[in-house]
């Protein structure tokens, strides 16, 4: 039956009217009958017709109500309630409660973290994962449509230019092409295959240049035009262009001095990438930052109006309470800051996506029949296991240390050997297969398996009284008190160390972690009740500090950053009744304890390692502690205790395999030199243990590849706040050092030979096709990830050393050869001299291989394009279109749009290869200066201390957004020169010319 026919039948029978009446709480079906003839209810009409019809029937008040995250029902029109923002980063995760804004977690299939999914380099697989996530979102939605919304806030497509980013686990790769390919696949899976309707509505996070957590709402990401066009935008553009996402989320940070919440590119650029309507949203509370931490606008009315005009359509503020948003927007309308036409435009964006989700169809659309029974189905579990195994990366395998022999006994050792952790954007694990569980299941009771978490078991005895600190034995634990005079189960704690002295204390009595009982209460006691370190404020963290006399004091290290509600105290004291509380601002006033080590983690590890033929050491991170949202990492190293553990086990048993389970590149230099085999996995979800066993024992031949450069030292990466990958030689594209593991690295249990690379003739924009033959020369079937890179040999501009252009994961049986076809769509780069994409005449090196450092076949490709002409500075030139710089900050020319350059004393800008064939006599510039008095800009040739051609005065305008024109006479400008603008004091420059 056609959809139009179904609609007609429902109308005739009155079933649709009855359904609407019951759903919307109308007084009677007769009222709903009046809706039947409204065009917006007719699925046979064009989408725009339906949207326009509904919008014209809404009152202004009703339209405004649709601009908040929680959109109320409009019963008179049969409009149901709608909620944006269900999290679904690597499985259906969570939403927020409609009455209090609290997080409610779904128990759904949990796949590997995003960084793990990308490590498969397999878009076809990731599309299947996305389809499962979309199905399970529909399954939950079927139970409570107004609560489990279908606008899914995933995937995260910020390029991972810095591996220390706290949210590294959420992204895909440092390469924009790989990021775009994986994101497109995941988004396509979630959105479904229907040409018009959406299974779910994916939203890309976080636009734009959001790759640091430190001061994330006040730092500005400096994006010179080439970095913006060639790097940052290229992660988002292919996803939007492929209709694999229905909008973007504005990020917290500023970009070139302007908050991303009011970035005009949300309209001016992002919406040009597709002919579909996009529904863009703000990040949580970000619109309030405009008047809060960012101090960008004086009033919320100004900020909210600018947000809508810039291109965001939904306000994620005040949790479930839409009243403040409605009041602010109404006030902005009354003050003339917004017009009803602005509201209409945003509402049309909102409703367009809701129509595509089936919100206003009689039958709910083609995906409405998906029910809760799909959640965590056997097929979904199987896919979780496959994706976890396919994502694992074999970093090292010396002399065939892997796969393991299932007939040989194994010791499974380490702090992650029998636990699985979730992260902030995880759903609840429906079940857990830990590493030791998976290995035991694989061996089936044959070879002996021993295991130990290899953590110290301790007791803490109050130094002055001799009383031991203890909790409770029940599942809910109990308030920690110093009371017992001997050590029982409730006085024993396993101390898990996570680096930088931070540890968590797990009670032996009930297996729960010690945490604050009540957040926001400075006098709150501590209890052993947490199933794992958790929550936005991670309040399970402590440090044991040496007090210098054989005793220790306990410092509370929760939250990572201080919060006002804790008061001044961060050290623990024991009250008169024995209760442990925060009672001192310093170590001097803290209660002293004697730490008694009941068992040694290292000793237990060494004993287990010696008892087995092979030792598997599982180390890594705790996702709520070692880098996460709101908390960047300061080092790429393993926790010190984990490094010591690996060394001790290796000394006890040469047949040691290390499994690194974390969410980012790690400086495992010693391990690379001394450990026979190293395997990496992200936190991989419910099937981690089975997948790990599949790989360790060769049931799955590993083919995961790293998606970021693994550096040898923290010194290999510059300041995390420096976004200029070109100047700072960031990512594999520009890095000149020797990485520990190169981008794209990953080994296999078989070997592959590359041969017969053939490169076709280049077409427009430098597009070309290439084929290469790949042969499995080993005895095992396996997957190879064939990677094609190019390097432009001659250019006016600095070019990447290598740039990934295409890739394909191929399966080969032993002895099999396949011709792998690869396609390169574009060899252009951004020409700052003319503000456009350009294909230069040059020879390009074409490199095909197994990683960026393992190139197996090379060829050259002459490309006929154009030569970038010398700069013509007689035209008004944007200062931001420089070729090089020193110092400077990129800033907002105005609060609405445009970029300028902010300078201080000694800063300079370089504009290369300027042709002064006609000579030049006058320098003219648009400048602004807040401070009183004047500054100067010197026009020099050949260098920042080169020949002085002239000096212009920059006068005070009193406002950084108020520009004046400055000019000066210049001399000696003939021929071709590099021009330097050298500044002597604080000011801004927008445009300039030399005529």
């Amino acid at each position: 039956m056609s959809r139009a026919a179904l609609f007609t039948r429902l109308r005739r029978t009155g079933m649709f009217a009855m359904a609407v009446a019951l759903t919307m709480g109308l007084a009677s079906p007769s009222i709903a009958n009046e809706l039947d003839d409204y065009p917006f209810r007719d699925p046979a009409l064009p989408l725009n017709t339906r949207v326009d019809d509904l919008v014209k029937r809404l009152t202004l008040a009703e339209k405004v109500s649709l601009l908040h995250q929680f959109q109320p029902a409009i019963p008179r029109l049969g409009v149901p309630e709608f909620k944006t923002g269900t999290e679904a980063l690597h499985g259906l995760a969570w939403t927020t409660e409609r009455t209090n804004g609290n997080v409610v977690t779904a128990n759904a299939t949990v796949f590997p973290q995003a960084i793990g999914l990308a490590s498969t380099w397999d878009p076809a697989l990731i599309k299947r994962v996305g389809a499962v996530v979309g199905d399970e979102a529909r399954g939950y939605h079927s139970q409570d449509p107004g609560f489990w919304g279908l606008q899914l806030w995933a995937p995260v497509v910020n390029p991972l230019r810095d591996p220390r980013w706290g949210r590294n686990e959420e992204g895909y790769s440092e390469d924009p092409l790989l990021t775009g390919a994986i994101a497109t696949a995941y988004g396509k899976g979630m959105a479904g295959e229907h040409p018009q309707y959406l299974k779910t509505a994916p939203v890309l996070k976080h636009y734009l240049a959001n790759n640091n957590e430190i001061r994330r709402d006040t730092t500005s990401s400096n994006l010179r035009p080439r970095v913006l066009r060639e790097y940052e935008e290229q992660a988002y553009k292919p996803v939007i262009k492929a209709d694999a996402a229905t909008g973007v989320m504005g990020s917290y940070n500023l970009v070139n001095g302007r908050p991303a919440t009011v970035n005009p590119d949300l309209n001016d650029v992002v919406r040009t990438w597709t002919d579909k309507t996009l529904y863009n949203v703000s990040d949580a509370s970000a619109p309030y930052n405009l008047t809060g931490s960012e101090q960008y606008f004086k009033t919320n009315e100004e900020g909210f109006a600018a947000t809508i005009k810039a291109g965001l359509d939904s306000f994620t503020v005040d949790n479930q309470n839409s009243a403040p948003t409605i009041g602010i927007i109404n006030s902005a309308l009354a003050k003339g800051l917004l017009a009803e036409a602005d509201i209409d435009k945003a509402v049309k964006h909102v409703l367009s996506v809701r129509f595509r989700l089936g919100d206003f169809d009689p039958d709910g659309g083609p995906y409405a029949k998906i029910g809760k029974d799909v959640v965590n189905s056997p097929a979904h579990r199987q896919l979780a296991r496959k994706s976890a195994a396919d994502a694992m990366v074999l970093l090292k395998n010396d002399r065939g240390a892997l796969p393991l022999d299932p007939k040989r006994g194994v010791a499974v050792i380490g702090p992650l050997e029998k636990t699985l952790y979730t992260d902030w954007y995880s759903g609840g694990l429906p079940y857990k297969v830990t590493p030791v569980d998976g290995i035991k299941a694989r061996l089936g009771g044959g070879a002996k398996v021993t295991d130990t978490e290899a953590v110290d078991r301790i007791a803490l005895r109050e130094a002055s009284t001799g009383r031991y600190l203890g909790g409770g034995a029940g599942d809910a634990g109990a308030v920690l008190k110093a009371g017992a005079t001997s050590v029982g189960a409730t006085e024993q704690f396993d101390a898990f160390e996570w680096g930088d002295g931070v540890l968590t204390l797990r009670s032996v009595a009930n297996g729960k972690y010690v945490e604050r009982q009540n957040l926001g209460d400075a006098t709150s006691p501590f209890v052993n009740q947490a199933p794992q370190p958790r929550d936005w404020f991670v309040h399970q963290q402590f440090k044991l500090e040496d007090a210098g006399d054989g005793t220790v004091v306990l410092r509370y290290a929760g939250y990572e950053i201080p919060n006002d509600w804790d008061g001044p105290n961060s050290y623990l004291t024991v009250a008169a009744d024995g209760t442990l509380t925060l009672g001192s601002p310093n170590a001097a006033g803290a209660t002293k304890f004697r730490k008694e080590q009941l068992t040694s983690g290292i000793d237990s590890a060494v004993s287990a390692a010696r008892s087995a033929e092979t030792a598997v050491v599982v180390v890594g991170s705790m996702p709520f502690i070692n880098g996460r949202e709101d908390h960047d990492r300061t080092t790429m190293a393993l926790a010190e205790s984990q490094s010591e553990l690996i060394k001790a086990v290796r000394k006890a048993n040469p047949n040691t395999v290390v499994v690194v389970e974390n969410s980012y590149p790690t400086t495992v230099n010693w391990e690379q030199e001394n450990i026979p085999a190293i395997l990496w996995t992200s936190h991989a979800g419910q099937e981690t243990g089975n997948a790990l066993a599949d790989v360790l024992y060769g049931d799955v031949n590993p083919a995961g590849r790293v998606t970021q450069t693994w550096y040898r030292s923290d010194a290999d990466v510059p300041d995390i706040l420096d976004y200029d990958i070109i100047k700072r030689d960031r990512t594999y594209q520009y890095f000149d050092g020797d990485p520990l593991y190169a981008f794209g690295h990953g080994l296999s249990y078989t070997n592959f030979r590359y041969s017969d690379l053939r490169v076709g003739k280049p077409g427009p924009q430098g597009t070309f096709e290439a084929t290469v033959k790949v042969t499995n020369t080993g005895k095992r079937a396996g997957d190879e990830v064939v990677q094609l890179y190019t390097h432009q040999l001659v250019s006016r501009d600095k070019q990447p050393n290598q740039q990934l252009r295409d890739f394909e994961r191929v399966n080969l049986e032993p002895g099999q050869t396949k011709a792998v076809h690869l396609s390169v769509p574009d060899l252009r780069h951004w020409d700052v001299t003319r503000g456009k994409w350009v294909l230069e005449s040059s020879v390009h090196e074409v490199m095909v291989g197994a990683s960026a450092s393992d190139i197996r076949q090379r060829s050259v490709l002459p490309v006929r394009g154009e030569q970038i002409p010398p700069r013509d500075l007689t035209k008004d030139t944007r200062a931001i279109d420089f070729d090089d710089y020193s110092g400077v900050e990129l800033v907002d020319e105005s609060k609405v749009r445009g970029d300028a350059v902010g300078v201080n004393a000694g800063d300079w800008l370089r504009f290369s290869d300027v042709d002064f064939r006609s000579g030049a006599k006058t320098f003219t510039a648009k400048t602004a200066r807040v401070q009183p008095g004047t500054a100067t800009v010197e026009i020099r040739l050949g260098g920042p201390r080169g020949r002085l051609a002239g000096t212009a005065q920059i006068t005070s305008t009193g406002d950084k957004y108020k520009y004046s024109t400055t000019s000066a006479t210049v001399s000696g400008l003939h021929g071709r020169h590099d021009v330097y603008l050298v500044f002597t004091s604080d000011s801004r420059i927008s445009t300039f010319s030399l005529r």
Side-chain angles (χ1 to χ4, degrees):
M1 182 184 298
S2 70
R3 298 181 58 76
L6 175 61
F7 174 74
T8 300
R9 171 184 281 187
L10 289 170
R11 288 178 58 186
R12 287 175 177 171
T13 61
M15 292 171 59
F16 176 47
M18 178 67 75
V20 170
L22 293 174
T23 301
M24 305 313 304
L26 299 178
S28 69
S30 62
I31 298 176
N33 280 326
E34 299 175 7
L35 305 177
D36 290 355
D37 293 325
Y38 289 163
F40 76 84
R41 292 288 182 187
D42 187 350
L45 292 176
L47 175 61
N48 288 340
T49 301
R50 299 179 71 190
V51 171
D52 290 343
D53 180 69
L54 178 53
V55 170
K56 76 179 182 182
R57 298 179 189 281
L58 295 169
T59 67
L60 179 58
E62 289 168 341
K63 286 185 285 191
V64 171
S65 75
L66 300 179
L67 301 183
H68 187 260
Q69 181 184 11
F70 280 80
Q71 300 170 23
I74 304 173
R76 71 180 188 85
L77 293 173
V79 174
E81 64 177 327
F82 183 85
K83 180 189 174 295
T84 70
T86 300
E87 300 290 355
L89 184 61
H90 54 106
L92 183 66
W94 51 266
T95 189
T96 48
E97 226 286 326
R98 56 160 62 91
T99 58
N100 56 26
N102 291 340
V103 168
V104 178
T105 302
N107 286 308
T109 309
V110 178
F111 293 95
Q113 291 176 305
I115 186 70
L117 293 176
S119 299
T120 66
W121 289 61
D122 190 345
L125 174 66
I126 303 310
K127 185 176 180 181
R128 291 172 58 196
V129 171
V132 166
V133 177
D135 284 346
E136 297 197 354
R138 278 282 178 175
Y140 266 83
H141 178 77
S142 71
Q143 304 298 294
D144 191 343
F147 180 56
W148 290 100
L150 295 175
Q151 189 196 59
L152 305 186
W153 287 353
V156 170
V157 296
N158 298 99
L160 303 179
R161 58 158 195 120
D162 194 308
R164 297 166 299 183
W165 185 34
R167 305 181 75 167
N168 200 81
E169 65 191 26
E170 298 180 36
Y172 291 137
S173 172
E174 69 183 27
D175 182 79
L177 182 142
L178 179 58
T179 295
I182 298 297
T184 297
Y186 193 66
K188 279 283 190 184
M190 289 192 292
E193 299 289 347
H194 197 282
Q196 178 181 345
Y197 286 88
L198 296 164
K199 184 192 300 183
T200 67
V203 172
L204 304 183
K205 301 196 300 187
H206 312 82
Y207 193 86
L208 180 73
N210 177 199
N211 200 214
N212 63 273
E213 297 304 292
I214 181 173
R215 303 190 305 278
R216 61 178 179 166
D217 58 330
T218 56
T219 57
S220 179
S221 304
N222 283 359
L223 297 185
R224 60 195 288 189
R226 284 193 63 198
V227 175
L228 171 65
R229 303 299 185 191
E230 297 175 20
Y231 189 66
E232 289 287 343
E233 287 183 355
Q234 294 310 308
Y236 296 85
K237 184 176 180 179
V239 194
I240 297 293
K241 189 174 180 179
D243 294 324
T246 59
V248 300
M249 173 187 284
S251 54
Y252 282 123
N253 56 289
L254 296 84
V255 177
N256 294 355
R258 182 180 296 106
T261 303
V262 291
N263 185 347
D265 285 359
L266 292 162
N267 271 331
D268 299 349
V269 176
V270 176
R271 285 195 159 102
T272 68
W273 294 336
T274 179
D275 59 1
K276 293 286 198 303
T277 298
L278 298 181
Y279 177 6
N280 298 330
V281 304
S282 82
D283 208 336
S285 296
Y288 284 141
N289 292 341
L290 295 169
T291 52
S293 59
E294 293 163 347
Q295 292 291 294
Y296 202 70
F297 294 103
K298 293 182 179 179
T299 67
N300 284 325
E301 287 86 351
E302 292 174 284
F304 279 41
T307 298
I308 291 173
K309 289 184 174 182
L312 291 186
D313 310 305
S314 181
F315 290 83
T316 313
V317 294
D318 299 304
N319 294 318
Q320 77 287 353
N321 183 10
S322 63
T325 294
I326 292 171
I328 292 167
I329 293 176
N330 284 335
S331 179
L333 285 163
K335 294 178 178 179
L337 299 171
L338 285 172
E340 187 168 357
D342 298 314
I343 306 300
D344 287 351
K345 182 183 293 186
V347 168
K348 287 181 179 180
H349 297 158
V350 172
L351 293 177
S352 178
V353 170
R354 290 187 60 176
F355 271 103
R356 294 181 66 197
L357 288 167
D359 257 14
F360 307 107
D361 281 22
D363 61 352
Y367 297 107
K369 293 181 180 180
I370 298 175
K372 188 73 178 292
D373 59 312
V374 303
V375 176
N376 195 38
S377 69
H380 294 181
R381 297 181 183 189
Q382 184 178 12
L383 185 62
R385 181 170 181 168
K386 176 176 174 55
S387 61
D390 285 1
M392 292 184 182
V393 182
L394 184 60
L395 296 172
K396 180 184 178 182
N397 194 24
D398 193 19
R399 302 177 189 174
L402 290 177
L404 299 178
D405 184 347
K407 297 178 182 178
R408 297 166 65 90
V410 61
V412 189
I413 300 166
L416 279 81
E417 60 97 7
K418 64 177 181 182
T419 188
L420 297 182
Y421 290 122
T422 57
D423 57 58
W424 178 246
Y425 287 101
S426 287
L429 295 168
Y431 58 90
K432 300 178 181 180
V433 183
T434 68
V436 70
D437 291 337
I439 289 171
K440 286 181 177 179
R442 173 62 178 81
L443 297 183
K448 181 181 178 182
V449 180
T450 58
D451 76 288
T452 174
E453 290 177 295
V455 295
D456 292 342
R457 182 161 291 179
I458 66 172
L460 294 170
R461 181 163 58 91
E462 189 180 0
S464 62
T465 66
R467 297 178 299 177
Y468 285 94
L469 194 65
D475 193 57
V479 171
L480 263 65
K481 292 185 176 182
T485 57
S486 61
V487 177
T490 55
E491 286 71 46
Q492 299 181 46
F493 300 92
D494 291 328
F496 289 80
E497 297 185 27
W498 299 109
D500 194 30
V502 172
L503 56 82
T504 53
L505 298 172
R506 188 182 67 192
S507 171
V508 172
N510 66 354
K512 299 298 180 66
Y513 290 83
V514 176
E515 67 179 0
R516 290 279 298 282
Q517 186 174 53
N518 298 308
L519 296 181
D521 179 359
T523 64
S524 171
F526 291 82
V527 293
N528 58 314
Q529 66 179 13
Q532 69 162 59
R534 60 181 180 174
D535 296 335
W536 181 258
F537 299 106
V538 186
H539 50 292
Q540 299 81 24
Q541 302 175 80
F542 302 89
K543 289 187 177 183
L544 288 177
E545 296 184 357
D546 187 353
D549 57 356
T551 65
V552 296
V553 294
L554 271 172
R555 178 185 167 195
Y556 176 58
Y559 306 168
E560 295 95 25
I561 53 177
N563 287 278
D564 293 341
W565 57 70
D566 278 334
N569 298 331
S570 58
Y571 285 83
L572 278 68
T573 58
V574 174
D577 65 353
T579 301
L580 188 69
T581 60
L582 286 176
S584 175
N586 52 48
T591 297
K592 293 182 178 182
F593 294 92
R594 297 195 182 278
K595 185 182 80 169
E596 297 181 2
Q597 184 170 293
L598 306 177
T599 60
S600 163
I602 290 289
D603 289 349
S604 66
V606 168
S607 175
R610 287 175 175 168
S611 72
E613 294 169 281
T614 302
V616 175
V617 185
V618 189
V619 295
S621 69
M622 200 291 123
F624 279 85
I625 294 175
N626 299 113
R628 61 179 178 85
E629 184 172 359
D630 207 34
H631 180 51
D632 291 320
R633 293 184 301 135
T634 57
T635 179
M636 292 180 284
L638 283 172
E640 299 87 342
S641 62
Q642 294 184 11
S643 295
E644 293 171 3
L645 171 65
I646 292 170
K647 291 174 181 177
V649 172
R650 172 66 177 83
K651 185 176 181 180
N653 188 336
N655 300 318
T656 294
V657 174
V658 168
V659 177
V660 179
E661 183 179 345
N662 63 18
S663 315
Y664 38 74
T666 308
T667 51
V668 286
N669 300 321
W670 187 92
E671 290 76 7
Q672 172 61 22
E673 292 295 322
N674 295 279
I675 299 297
I678 307 172
L679 185 70
W680 175 85
T681 175
S682 72
H683 295 277
Q686 61 207 50
E687 286 285 347
T688 297
N690 284 332
L692 179 61
D694 289 342
V695 172
L696 289 175
Y697 288 94
D699 300 319
V700 171
N701 192 343
R705 302 291 185 261
V706 299
T707 67
Q708 292 175 272
T709 302
W710 284 49
Y711 299 99
R712 294 183 181 273
S713 168
D714 292 333
D716 287 336
V717 288
D719 189 328
I720 195 172
L721 298 178
D722 194 325
Y723 277 73
D724 192 344
I725 68 166
I726 299 174
K727 188 174 181 67
R728 306 302 176 196
D729 296 327
R730 276 186 178 272
T731 80
Y732 81 95
Q733 291 189 11
Y734 295 95
F735 183 60
D736 289 323
D738 177 28
L740 179 62
Y741 304 118
F743 174 79
H745 171 77
L747 304 177
S748 171
Y749 295 153
T750 189
N751 297 302
F752 300 96
R753 182 180 68 240
Y754 288 65
S755 62
D756 197 21
L757 172 62
R758 299 189 179 188
V759 179
K761 294 182 179 180
Q765 302 179 359
T767 181
F768 70 90
E769 305 291 323
T771 60
V772 65
K773 291 182 179 177
V774 182
T775 303
N776 183 346
T777 60
K779 297 180 180 180
R780 290 176 176 266
D783 288 3
E784 174 69 329
V785 179
V786 182
Q787 303 162 42
L788 186 152
Y789 299 86
T790 67
H791 169 58
Q792 184 172 332
L793 298 181
V794 178
S795 176
R796 176 196 182 278
D797 302 310
K798 182 178 179 179
Q799 293 294 328
N801 300 325
Q802 291 172 297
Q803 186 169 352
L804 182 70
R805 299 294 189 175
D806 198 12
F807 64 91
E808 185 173 344
R809 179 164 171 158
V810 294
N811 178 264
L812 293 165
E813 296 295 323
Q816 184 182 11
T817 298
K818 283 186 179 179
V820 180
H821 299 272
L822 300 161
S823 178
V824 177
D826 201 336
L827 288 175
R828 298 176 299 165
H829 75 279
W830 188 256
D831 174 20
V832 294
T833 72
R834 295 171 294 174
K836 69 174 188 176
W837 293 98
V838 62
L839 178 68
E840 289 182 288
S841 291
S842 181
V843 173
H844 291 252
E845 186 178 13
V846 180
M847 299 163 279
V848 178
S851 78
S853 67
D854 186 7
I855 301 301
R856 309 290 185 86
Q857 292 278 288
R858 297 175 184 268
S859 185
V860 293
L861 179 70
V863 173
R864 180 177 296 177
E866 63 176 302
Q867 182 177 357
I868 297 176
R871 274 193 182 267
D872 178 6
L873 295 186
T874 63
K875 303 175 181 178
D876 285 343
T877 300
R878 297 194 314 158
I880 197 174
D881 284 331
F882 50 73
D883 289 293
D884 198 6
Y885 62 95
S886 176
V888 314
E889 181 181 5
L890 306 185
V891 297
D892 49 339
E893 184 177 15
S894 75
K895 289 188 176 182
V896 178
R897 56 173 39 82
D899 297 313
V901 179
V903 297
N904 291 298
D907 291 355
W908 54 259
L909 300 172
R910 189 187 80 207
F911 298 85
S912 301
D913 191 26
V914 180
D915 188 355
F916 291 110
R917 186 180 309 167
S918 302
K921 297 181 179 180
T922 304
F923 170 83
T924 304
K926 285 179 60 180
T927 58
R929 176 175 166 81
V930 176
Q931 297 87 343
T934 61
T936 62
V937 52
E938 299 172 344
I939 300 90
R940 294 183 176 270
L941 304 181
R945 296 184 179 180
R947 181 166 63 85
L948 181 64
T951 301
Q953 300 292 317
I954 300 176
T955 59
S956 174
T957 60
D959 186 335
K960 62 184 178 181
Y961 298 123
K962 183 179 180 181
Y963 288 82
S964 64
T965 300
T966 183
S967 62
T969 300
V970 292
S971 62
L973 297 185
H974 300 282
R976 289 167 69 165
H977 299 276
D978 290 350
V979 172
Y980 286 75
L981 303 184
V982 184
F983 302 87
T984 61
S985 186
D986 293 358
S987 51
R988 290 185 171 202
I989 180 169
S990 172
T991 61
F992 74 99
S993 65
L994 280 162
R995 298 187 177 96

